[in-house]
Amino acid sequence: PLLTNCFVVITSRRLLVSLRAETGARQITVAPMSPAESAELLTAQLGGRLGERQRAGLVALCGGIPLLLTVLAGNLANRSAAAIEEYVTLLDRRQLVLGLDDHGDGPAGGADCFEPSYQALAPAERRLFRLLTLHPGPEFGLDAACACGGQPQAETRRGLGRLVGLHLLEEADSGVNRFRFHDVLGEYAAYCRDRDEPPEEQAAAVRRVLDYYVAAATQAGRAMQRSYNPPPPSARPSVPVTTFTSSEDAVRWFGRERVNLTSAILYAAAHD
């Protein structure tokens, strides 16, 4: 009320639904920066000390997240050109998440930027965030997410909604109830998994999601060809069952899940 004549911008990693409901504020989701915009931001902060190849490598690593680009520029600001070249050579996505140093009083890497959002989650939501990194393909549906977390649909759906609301997970463009990690957020989630999730829980999640794809592919095969009747896969209570109402429905599922199925087969073969 004190600022009725002022234009006010409020930013947050969390969807501010209640603020919009109470004030009628216009809600805008800010997408990651384009490679050209990211390069412009790095150049503005570091001048001409970055070679074109170095700049392109850093832009690709940061995935268009302005905060990470700014943190990275801060880490490079007082280094010589030779030191910058060595830094860029050492840097990979995990190092970007962890930070190569913490000499200043600001965040040293992506983990410092994302940790407040992670800690804002309930324990079950943090667990889901970690276990989703064990999905073998680039994006996943609701049933596959249920298999990763070993929880019912209703609880998993709420958890996914919270992760999307905190921008720790993205809704994919390929359909309703399809999700994916931003590359950098996926690396941060994998770091949280390695740090916080017991190995036996990780192994169980992998087994559940592979079992899910075996069972779902079997059901889809039966829907497409009634004579297809392989032995039923072993039933596990925590693995959801995807059903198909027609052969067309099954064909669409195979098309949507093709990359995930191939990734699951390769992962299973590589890990015996």
Side-chain angles (χ1 to χ4, degrees):
L2 297 177
L3 300 173
T4 52
N5 296 321
C6 297
F7 186 80
V8 179
V9 177
I10 300 172
T11 65
S12 175
R13 285 194 55 81
R14 183 193 304 256
L15 285 175
L16 302 176
V17 178
S18 59
L19 179 68
R20 179 182 183 181
E22 292 170 7
T23 66
R26 182 183 176 195
Q27 188 169 301
I28 302 172
T29 298
V30 182
M33 299 174 79
S34 69
E37 292 167 336
S38 300
E40 184 179 352
L41 178 59
L42 276 179
T43 301
Q45 298 201 34
L46 293 172
R49 287 184 296 153
L50 275 178
E52 185 175 344
R53 181 180 59 82
Q54 295 169 328
R55 184 167 52 247
L58 294 177
V59 164
L61 277 178
C62 289
I65 299 178
L67 182 57
L68 276 186
L69 289 161
T70 302
V71 168
L72 194 57
N75 286 340
L76 297 175
N78 296 319
R79 300 174 190 265
S80 65
I84 288 177
E85 183 172 358
E86 182 180 4
Y87 185 102
V88 173
T89 302
L90 292 173
L91 194 64
D92 58 21
R93 191 156 278 139
R94 179 56 66 96
Q95 291 289 352
L96 179 67
V97 166
L98 296 179
L100 286 179
D101 60 50
D102 56 356
H103 297 161
D105 60 356
D112 294 332
C113 302
F114 306 136
E115 191 74 13
S117 297
Y118 176 68
Q119 294 300 332
L121 297 167
E125 295 160 353
R126 290 199 293 268
R127 178 178 177 273
L128 178 63
F129 178 64
R130 299 191 298 264
L131 293 180
L132 287 173
T133 61
L134 297 169
H135 182 269
E139 64 175 55
F140 47 87
L142 176 59
D143 283 347
C146 292
C148 284
Q151 298 297 328
Q153 268 202 8
E155 184 174 339
T156 303
R157 194 190 300 273
R158 284 193 299 270
L160 292 169
R162 282 280 289 160
L163 293 175
V164 170
L166 284 166
H167 294 286
L168 293 171
L169 196 65
E170 300 176 350
E171 293 180 308
D173 299 327
S174 57
V176 178
N177 287 328
R178 303 286 295 179
F179 304 90
R180 67 186 175 205
F181 280 108
H182 182 284
D183 288 345
V184 178
L185 269 298
E187 189 65 48
Y188 170 68
Y191 158 70
C192 293
R193 179 199 69 211
D194 295 341
R195 181 190 65 185
D196 300 335
E197 197 67 34
E200 59 273 16
E201 291 292 329
Q202 297 186 42
V206 169
R207 172 60 67 182
R208 286 193 302 269
V209 76
L210 293 179
D211 283 349
Y212 162 71
Y213 279 116
V214 170
T218 301
Q219 293 288 350
R222 286 175 175 155
M224 292 170 61
Q225 187 174 348
R226 297 301 176 184
S227 60
Y228 176 67
N229 192 30
S234 57
R236 295 173 187 265
S238 54
V239 176
V241 177
T242 298
T243 57
F244 302 92
T245 57
S246 66
S247 60
E248 292 79 10
D249 189 23
V251 168
R252 282 193 296 271
W253 183 86
F254 272 123
R256 192 168 55 241
E257 301 292 351
R258 181 178 57 184
V259 174
N260 288 335
L261 290 167
T262 303
S263 299
I265 291 166
L266 293 173
Y267 183 94
H271 293 82
D272 294 328

